[in-house]
Amino acid sequence: MNLYPFLCLLEEEQYIDIMVQSLTSLPPTGESFLLISRDVGNQIYNRFSIRKKQQAFHIEKIQSLYRDFCQLLAKNGKVSGLLPREMWEKLEHEKYGGPCLLNVETSWPNSLVVQLGTHLVDLMVQEIKIQNNLLSPRSDTKFIPVLYHMYSFRSTRQIGLIKPHPIFSQILLDASESSLTFESLVMPMLCPPVPWLSPRFGAYLLNPAKLMRSLDGAVQHQLLLEKCPPGQLHPVLDSLNQLGLCAWRINQPLLDIIVSIFNEKGNEKLDIPPPLSEAPKLPDQLQGETSSLEKMTYQRELTRCRKKTSEMHSLRMDALYKLSIANHLREKNFWFPHNMDFRGRTYPCPPYFNHLGSDVTRALLLFAEGKPLGPKGLEWLKTHLINLTGLKKRSSLKERREYADTIMKDILDSADQPLNGKRWWMEADEPWQALACCMEIAKASRSPDPTKYISHFPVHQDGSCNGLQHYAALGRDEIGARSVNLMPCKSPQDVYSGVAQQVEEFRQRDAKRGLKIAQVLDGFIGRKVVKQTVMTVVYGVTRYGGRLQIEKRLRELEAFPQTFSVLINEVVEWEYFID
């Protein structure tokens, strides 16, 4: 009875749409019951929030204000001295005499969202049924549930899962649905975001959005934000607004190349996941009497194959989401509204496809507004390309540009024949961004005047292990500061290479003492192996977690003997890595 009022907020068809959408998006391996319930509850809240705005005539106000706001933005900064937030506030004052939309949103408690979702998921489990003989003819036809409960262990915790029946999963697979359905909240916006005016209003035109991300159910962040004097939040709101108003577009030639590889069984080396048809085959079932060792080996191999298949499905679906969204936005300009976490670190609101994503997604993005390269633009493109390769980490910027000039033939060959030429770009640390940069350098260098070439290409820049930079600054550590480029040096420093060099010295010492693991690791201790552990040690990674990271990096090396990984698993303490 407590939930009944919330089951009357929308039309029945809308509740059904939400349930059917969650049903068709379930993976064959199942999903957490709590996660599905929370997702269903949040979708109901989002639709109710939009309906509430319609009933209160807020949409007409938003529409009127937004139209005038976009006209001011289109004047390309000619509105002197006004930030986006100030433009909106000025329009509100002129039209309605003051703020009229700040208290539109009323959030629901997390417990209510989960209870509402739980009720509907239970309803799906009880009521949605399917014939048991749809795929194989049987004499006794009966209806069986499409969904069922099961339990599984995640680490040491037992969690409830909702899993679809194999018959239903097979029907979905055979149907080969050619379109994906997303909530508008997870998609980039096709118009500029509404400026953040308060912790409760900003980003999307109709959908509710949080200024600060938090764990589901945590409310203290929101309460503290709402108690802040309005002027105190203005610098933060204005920063988020500036990030959100940057327009983007898709790099179409690169998208076509990536999609062609995705459709041709992928390429794990290039971070394009292969389809499930390439998954390892399950071992043949044991016949007759078998020893306990054989049973254990069979069970271990079976678990490994199932785990690998599950991982491949997840990665393939993730890539499908990203490429589908990119293809949907192929001819359009779009925007990423931003919010932040409790530290003040900013993030795009759309989770699947944004400029903070993987190498593939970053390579697919261009600025919608181009700028002339100017006298040093082409040099910066060359420097950026060498940075993406992972080469010349300790070389000066001048040396990196000179190196780019010496390999210009390879750069142009990569741009002209990415899949049929020498394929130099595939050896880079970030291959897809490197290929996109090769294409941009080729266009700029072949233009009549490279300084006037209009470039839309984003050049990403990053700190040198930012966590260690903070540690060095807090501790006034000159040696650490020099290793992470906080102090002047003749050439850029690379802390990861420095750590790898120290580890290699320890390895050589232990190899001379006859330690087997040290002898086998000869030639495998490099920057890539130690980078993740060095980076995360300042964020609290444990010794055990660091060992797992290093093991994973070693397994990724093609030349590393995979049979030796058994020995690695037996090494609980790896003495080469110093505290």
Side-chain angles (χ1 to χ4, degrees):
M1 289 302 295
N2 292 337
L3 294 177
Y4 179 75
F6 297 93
L7 296 173
C8 302
L9 296 174
L10 309 174
E11 285 84 8
E12 290 181 358
E13 289 77 8
Q14 289 186 285
Y15 291 102
I16 294 169
D17 285 343
I18 291 171
M19 289 191 283
V20 170
Q21 186 177 331
S22 65
L23 175 65
T24 54
S25 61
L26 264 181
T29 52
E31 187 57 272
S32 162
F33 179 70
L34 178 62
L35 198 64
I36 300 172
S37 300
R38 186 181 292 134
D39 183 56
V40 170
N42 280 324
Q43 288 189 51
I44 293 171
Y45 168 69
N46 291 337
R47 298 197 189 195
F48 165 69
S49 180
I50 295 173
R51 185 186 182 92
K52 184 180 173 184
K53 290 174 185 174
Q54 289 175 323
Q55 293 173 341
F57 301 103
H58 288 305
I59 289 182
E60 288 77 4
K61 292 180 182 178
I62 295 173
Q63 187 177 14
S64 174
L65 288 167
Y66 187 74
R67 186 189 301 112
D68 293 345
F69 174 70
C70 287
Q71 288 175 355
L72 290 176
L73 285 181
K75 292 183 179 178
N76 198 22
K78 293 178 183 177
V79 182
S80 59
L82 287 183
L83 294 166
R85 172 185 53 80
E86 295 169 331
M87 290 183 196
W88 188 281
E89 289 173 345
K90 182 173 181 286
L91 289 171
E92 273 190 318
H93 184 76
E94 291 173 354
K95 285 178 174 287
Y96 303 106
C100 61
L101 298 168
L102 294 185
N103 297 313
V104 173
E105 303 294 350
T106 304
S107 59
W108 289 356
N110 182 63
S111 57
L112 171 61
V113 171
V114 173
Q115 284 179 36
L116 188 57
T118 299
H119 178 78
L120 293 181
V121 174
D122 282 338
L123 196 65
M124 292 163 62
V125 172
Q126 294 168 17
E127 300 299 332
I128 303 179
K129 293 182 169 55
I130 195 171
Q131 287 184 5
N132 66 337
N133 59 354
L134 284 178
L135 298 181
S136 57
R138 293 181 183 179
S139 56
D140 54 333
T141 300
K142 64 178 181 178
F143 286 92
I144 56 175
V146 168
L147 300 176
Y148 54 95
H149 288 277
M150 63 177 294
Y151 291 94
S152 178
F153 281 93
R154 297 278 173 88
S155 184
T156 57
R157 295 186 303 116
Q158 187 182 37
I159 64 166
L161 293 179
I162 295 293
K163 191 172 182 180
H165 196 283
I167 293 177
F168 178 74
S169 298
Q170 189 61 44
I171 289 172
L172 278 185
L173 185 65
D174 294 342
S176 302
E177 178 61 48
S178 59
S179 62
L180 294 171
T181 303
F182 293 99
E183 287 289 306
S184 56
L185 270 171
V186 303
M187 292 289 288
M189 293 183 68
L190 298 180
C191 55
V194 174
W196 283 104
L197 305 180
S198 74
R200 286 190 179 274
F201 184 78
Y204 296 103
L205 285 158
L206 298 178
N207 279 308
K210 285 185 177 180
L211 175 66
M212 184 176 287
R213 299 173 176 221
S214 60
L215 292 174
D216 292 303
V219 296
Q220 61 268 36
H221 303 92
Q222 190 69 23
L223 294 174
L224 288 171
L225 285 172
E226 289 173 5
K227 288 179 180 178
C228 280
Q232 195 172 333
L233 286 177
H234 285 169
V236 175
L237 301 180
D238 294 336
S239 300
L240 292 170
N241 294 336
Q242 289 300 124
L243 290 169
L245 287 174
C246 176
W248 299 83
R249 73 182 195 189
I250 296 296
N251 187 336
Q252 295 186 39
L254 199 72
L255 175 61
D256 292 334
I257 296 172
I258 294 173
V259 169
S260 69
I261 294 177
F262 181 83
N263 291 334
E264 293 177 6
K265 298 190 176 181
N267 186 319
E268 287 190 279
K269 184 182 177 183
L270 296 176
D271 201 23
I272 308 296
L276 286 181
S277 59
E278 302 300 304
K281 293 183 179 179
L282 297 177
D284 295 332
Q285 199 161 3
L286 297 175
Q287 302 293 333
E289 294 185 5
T290 54
S291 65
S292 57
L293 179 61
E294 288 175 327
K295 289 178 181 178
M296 186 174 67
T297 304
Y298 168 79
Q299 197 61 41
R300 183 184 297 162
E301 180 64 15
L302 187 65
T303 302
R304 186 193 70 81
C305 290
R306 285 176 174 169
K307 183 172 180 288
K308 179 67 174 175
T309 302
S310 178
E311 289 173 352
M312 287 177 65
H313 179 267
S314 298
L315 291 171
R316 183 75 174 179
M317 290 300 103
D318 181 63
L320 178 64
Y321 281 13
K322 289 179 169 64
L323 295 179
S324 298
I325 292 172
N327 193 56
H328 176 71
L329 300 169
R330 173 185 287 269
E331 304 285 347
K332 302 166 184 172
N333 291 346
F334 51 91
W335 288 259
F336 296 120
H338 281 63
N339 61 5
M340 61 180 178
D341 64 11
F342 70 97
R343 302 168 294 180
R345 178 173 284 191
T346 61
Y347 299 90
C349 295
Y352 299 122
F353 185 77
N354 59 61
H355 57 279
L356 297 187
S358 63
D359 174 46
V360 173
T361 50
R362 288 190 181 201
L364 287 172
L365 289 168
L366 299 171
F367 290 128
E369 182 183 355
K371 298 280 186 182
L373 278 180
K376 293 186 178 180
L378 184 56
E379 292 181 359
W380 269 109
L381 284 176
K382 292 177 181 177
T383 303
H384 180 52
L385 175 61
I386 302 307
N387 291 343
L388 292 169
T389 63
L391 306 171
K392 307 295 179 184
K393 283 287 183 180
R394 293 193 171 184
S395 301
S396 65
L397 298 180
K398 182 182 177 183
E399 290 170 337
R400 296 181 196 191
R401 288 193 290 269
E402 290 173 352
Y403 176 69
D405 290 331
T406 63
I407 59 170
M408 201 64 185
K409 287 184 179 179
D410 291 332
I411 294 173
L412 296 178
D413 176 75
S414 295
D416 297 335
Q417 304 179 80
L419 299 180
N420 300 318
K422 297 178 182 178
R423 294 182 282 193
W424 168 83
W425 61 276
M426 290 187 181
E427 304 304 318
D429 281 358
E430 310 286 350
W432 290 110
Q433 290 179 78
L435 176 58
C437 196
C438 288
M439 292 178 170
E440 190 71 7
I441 291 173
K443 291 176 186 175
S445 60
R446 289 165 177 169
S447 65
D449 184 357
T451 62
K452 295 180 181 178
Y453 172 75
I454 304 298
S455 178
H456 297 259
F457 194 80
V459 173
H460 295 269
Q461 293 189 328
D462 196 7
S464 304
C465 192
N466 190 242
L468 282 177
Q469 286 180 330
H470 278 81
Y471 269 44
L474 289 168
R476 304 295 190 269
D477 175 10
E478 291 190 9
I479 296 175
R482 193 171 288 108
S483 69
V484 289
N485 297 305
L486 284 186
M487 294 186 69
C489 292
K490 292 182 180 179
S491 59
Q493 299 299 301
D494 180 40
V495 66
Y496 307 117
S497 298
V499 172
Q501 185 177 343
Q502 286 191 33
V503 173
E504 176 61 17
E505 291 173 5
F506 282 105
R507 188 206 63 77
Q508 291 176 4
R509 183 195 66 188
D510 290 345
K512 289 179 182 178
R513 289 185 2 223
L515 192 64
K516 183 180 178 182
I517 189 171
Q519 294 169 350
V520 174
L521 288 173
D522 185 15
F524 295 109
I525 302 299
R527 183 179 184 275
K528 279 187 177 180
V529 173
V530 304
K531 180 179 178 180
Q532 186 182 10
T533 309
V534 174
M535 189 189 306
T536 54
V537 73
V538 293
Y539 298 116
V541 71
T542 62
R543 194 177 187 91
Y544 177 73
R547 190 192 70 79
L548 291 178
Q549 291 172 347
I550 293 159
E551 178 188 342
K552 187 175 181 181
R553 298 287 84 80
L554 288 171
R555 286 178 184 274
E556 290 172 354
L557 301 176
E558 291 183 2
F560 186 74
Q562 297 301 316
T563 53
F564 188 67
S565 59
V566 176
L567 178 58
I568 293 180
N569 288 332
E570 295 172 357
V571 178
V572 178
E573 300 286 337
W574 198 359
E575 61 187 17
Y576 311 137
F577 288 86
I578 57 177
D579 292 333

